[in-house]
Each structure stands twice: as structure tokens, then as C-alpha cells.
Amino acid sequence: MALNEQDVRHLRRCVALAEEALDGGDMAFGSVLVSAEGAVLAEDHNRINSHEPTWHPEVALAHWAAEHLNETERARSTLYTSGEHCPMCAAAHAWAGLGRIVYASSAEQFSGWCAEWGLPASPVNPLAINEVAPEIEVAGPVPELAEQIRELHKRYFGIKDGHKS
């Protein structure tokens, strides 16, 4: 599915939120929940170090949507995110009844970067969103934004010259 100007604008905000997370000592992930009319409803970034280990922005926004939006509004919304949902986030998204997901970088890319940098494997398999929630419309990755996300993750993990410093 082709992305439009609005999609790219919201993904750029996700990249900025990911950088905010990184600046606060958390992993570089950020997400924005947008209404069918294009209005930003809520946004968040990773808080796994500053809040608790499951505080991924996608889960936080699924909780927010379940509390503040009706079923139709949730189904018509789009969640933009810097990185493809992990299985926990994809499940939360599906259970909350949220709509489309658009991401800048994929779970496959992230796990590949971590392997390239010699980092330990994630405790969760890097499943694609549709392997967890097959009915959700998904778009991504976006190559030029994925490269920006890669650079943020390199900073988080202290990677210099391709190796952990």
C-alpha cells in the first residue's frame, strides 16, 4: 500500500518521539494514534527503563484508545509507529480493536541490526504483525525513515564502527 503525505508526516513525528525516548534513557520507539479524519488523538514513546518493561508506546496507546474511543472510532483509527509492533503490541492493538498500522522500520530489520551488532537475541520472536493479528491492515517499512531509526538504535546500544563500545 502506498503511503501518502499525511502518513509520512505522522511517521516523522514517530521518529521524533523515538528520539525523545532515547534522550530520556529509553529505547528509541515512538507512536502516534490518529483519527480517521487525520487528527492526532494521542502519542507516546517507549518507557521501558523510566516506567516499566512492558511500557511500549503501542500498548499505551491501545489502552488509551480503549478508555477514550468508541468501537467505531478505534476501528477507523491509524496507529503510526517508528518500529513494527512486537507480538505483545500487535496483540494489544488487535484486542483493542484498532485499525491500520503504519511503521517506519520492521521487526525483521530491528532483529537483523541487533544480530549485526552482536547483541543478545530478544526474549520474544520478531513476528510480523499479521502473524499475530492477521486482520490488521499494515504498511511499512519506509526505507529513508528506517535508516534514521537504525541510527537511533545504534546510539541506544552504544554502537560505533559496527561494534558495541
Side-chain angles (χ1 to χ4, degrees):
M1 165 186 241
L3 300 184
N4 61 37
E5 184 179 314
Q6 175 179 288
D7 292 330
V8 174
R9 184 177 75 248
H10 290 306
L11 284 175
R12 289 190 193 291
R13 177 62 184 147
C14 293
V15 173
L17 288 165
E19 189 160 16
E20 283 181 32
L22 179 62
D23 291 344
D26 282 298
M27 289 185 77
F29 291 97
S31 301
V32 178
L33 183 64
V34 176
S35 72
E37 296 74 35
V40 173
L41 300 170
E43 58 183 37
D44 204 353
H45 59 72
N46 223 20
R47 299 174 194 276
I48 62 167
N49 293 325
S50 60
H51 193 65
E52 58 96 4
T54 64
W55 197 278
H56 296 192
E58 302 89 346
V59 170
L61 293 178
H63 285 243
W64 184 91
E67 292 176 7
H68 295 94
L69 303 176
N70 66 41
E71 185 177 342
T72 301
E73 291 168 326
R74 291 192 309 268
R76 295 182 63 223
S77 69
T78 298
L79 196 141
Y80 295 90
T81 190
S82 60
E84 183 176 13
H85 291 32
C86 72
M88 174 184 71
C89 295
H93 187 103
W95 283 114
L98 295 173
R100 178 175 173 242
I101 297 170
V102 181
Y103 59 86
S105 62
S106 71
E108 182 180 4
Q109 287 173 312
F110 181 70
S111 64
W113 298 332
C114 290
E116 172 188 335
W117 301 327
L119 300 171
S122 169
V124 176
N125 285 333
L127 302 175
I129 292 165
N130 289 141
E131 290 182 71
V132 177
E135 300 301 315
I136 296 174
E137 180 184 337
V138 177
V142 179
E144 64 273 14
L145 296 177
E147 187 54 37
Q148 291 177 21
I149 295 300
R150 182 181 192 275
E151 293 304 310
L152 293 176
H153 289 306
K154 278 177 72 172
R155 280 181 37 208
Y156 177 80
F157 290 115
I159 305 300
K160 295 194 191 304
D161 300 323
H163 298 90
K164 191 165 173 69
S165 54

